[in-house]
Amino acid sequence: MVINLKQNKNFKLFKLVSAVAQQNNQSVYIVGGFVRDLLMKRQMPTDIDFVTESSGIYLAKKIAQEINPKLKVSVFKTYGTAMFKHNGLDLEFVGARKESYSEDSRKPSVETGTLEDDQKRRDFTINALAISLNKENFGELIDPFDGISDLQNKIIRTPLEPLQTYSDDPLRMMRAIRFAATLNFQIEENSLEAIKKEAERIKIVSMERIMVEFNKIMLSEKPSVGLKLMEQTGLLPLIIPELTALKGIEEVEGQTHKDNFWHTLEVVDNISKNTDNLWLRWAALLHDIGKAPTKKFDKKNGWTFHGHEFLGSKMVKNLFYRLKLPLGSDMKYVQKLVKLSSRPIALIDDGTSDSALRRLLFDSGEDLEDLFTLCKADITTKNSSKQEKFKKNFEYVAQKIKEVEEKDSIRNFQPPISGEEIMEMFNLQPSREIGILKEKVKEAILEGEITNDKEEARSFVIEEAKLLGLKIN
Ligand code: ATP
């Protein structure tokens, strides 16, 4: 089969690569994700991998020289690869290689090989497709493992024996699930079985690499597809056991609770319809993790999960640390949303007093909209009249919050009276009293005793200071 590359916007580049390779008596092929996405008519990737049955580094340098002698080529000697950027593309060149693995590492020992050796070492048949750029068969698809049929039938299959393939490099297990999830493909039966058998070997893969794949699953259209596969193959309990601990329904005295694992997956799918924000999706994934350790049953209250939001938000930090996810503002954002995740619902149940609304505004600040997005996604009842009721109640709370916000500007709360002003008013040095007075002002505003206004705050401070035995200057 010959692929017509003339239509491709990189045609000129391919011709140039072809010509330079020929001048240097080297073979050259496009390989991997670019070929897959080209045949699937997906959006063209911006990285293109080329293989040559000779030195990739030499060829990269020659091609870069031809394009622009000033182009900077990055060389990775240990991997025998070289890359450079051109017209917004990352072009990578590698010498065809043969790999063999040892038990305890996913880093193979490498020898030079033929194109077919190189195709064999690739993870999936759909990623092992190559297109020749050689003069004698320019554009010919080279597909020794019938990857084209797997592309058409939407199947993830390994070129070689699956057990060996996954055992050699267990990251491929995550990649199989990631491709299944993002491309909407099925993992072929033997592969799925092999992943189940080899799941434990994921432990030799660095957490950073696992998370790259995991986050691609989280950003897919329906993350539950990948998450379910991870659960089914036994990978999820090895990576995030806090999530699989939510699985199951217990019954005591005829009373049950919902299965919080399957509920969580639904919440993640729901939120993914409304946001591409990775960390908001993570907040949905983790919003109930505190439920497993706080679950209790007693005759009076039935099943309860008291304080699960608080514990859950504490768990977020350990989890992010273990998963090597960023520990800065993204983690804090997820923590905050987990902690607040039940508050809007509680507001609906308890009636919407202005002070409760002000407190929610104060605690959520600029993340209020995201909190609402999370809470809406959390409505997974199948009862449509209940769903309607919940949604209406939410709109009501949102409206009330808007009114309170307009009146008191709590969202980006700045104290109407500063510590320096208080010090000046009472001729004080920095001291505990100033902190106490500032806190009282904040509380009085949140409780609605005074409005967020400088004059009111001044009068209030004077009264409160008297109680502390302070005299105005
Ligand atoms: P995407 O760009 O969506 O991540 P990709 O297929 O281009 O897809 P890369 O990670 O850039 O993914 O890998 C490029 C190619 O290298 C793959 O198509 C595959 O042929 C090969 N490859 C990558 N990782 C592995 C692996 N762990 N084992 C075997 N082959 C791999």
Side-chain angles (χ1 to χ4, degrees), residues 100-116:
S100 50
Y101 287 82
S102 64
E103 258 295 294
D104 56 346
S105 163
R106 51 176 295 264
K107 295 204 175 63
S109 59
V110 176
E111 322 161 38
T112 51
T114 62
L115 172 69
E116 190 163 334

Side-chain angles (χ1 to χ4, degrees), residues 208-221:
E208 288 86 346
R209 296 303 300 268
I210 296 175
M211 282 299 120
V212 167
E213 300 301 330
F214 189 84
N215 281 338
K216 287 186 179 172
I217 294 171
M218 285 299 287
L219 285 172
S220 65
E221 202 178 317

Side-chain angles (χ1 to χ4, degrees), residues 14 53 65 154 156 174 254 256 313 385 422 430-431:
F14 296 149
E53 286 157 306
Q65 173 78 20
K154 296 176 161 254
I156 304 290
M174 285 299 297
T256 56
S313 79
S385 71
I422 298 175
S431 60

Side-chain angles (χ1 to χ4, degrees), residues 1 16 26 53 122 142 158 212 232 234-235 255 258 278 286 292 297 308 321 348 355 359 398 432:
M1 182 172 158
L16 182 128
Q26 287 193 225
E53 286 157 306
R122 296 191 175 257
I142 303 171
T158 57
V212 167
Q232 187 190 343
L235 285 167
Q255 294 201 52
K258 69 178 167 217
L278 175 66
L286 302 181
F297 181 87
H308 79 85
Y321 181 77
I348 292 169
S355 66
R359 282 189 185 278
R432 211 170 61 91

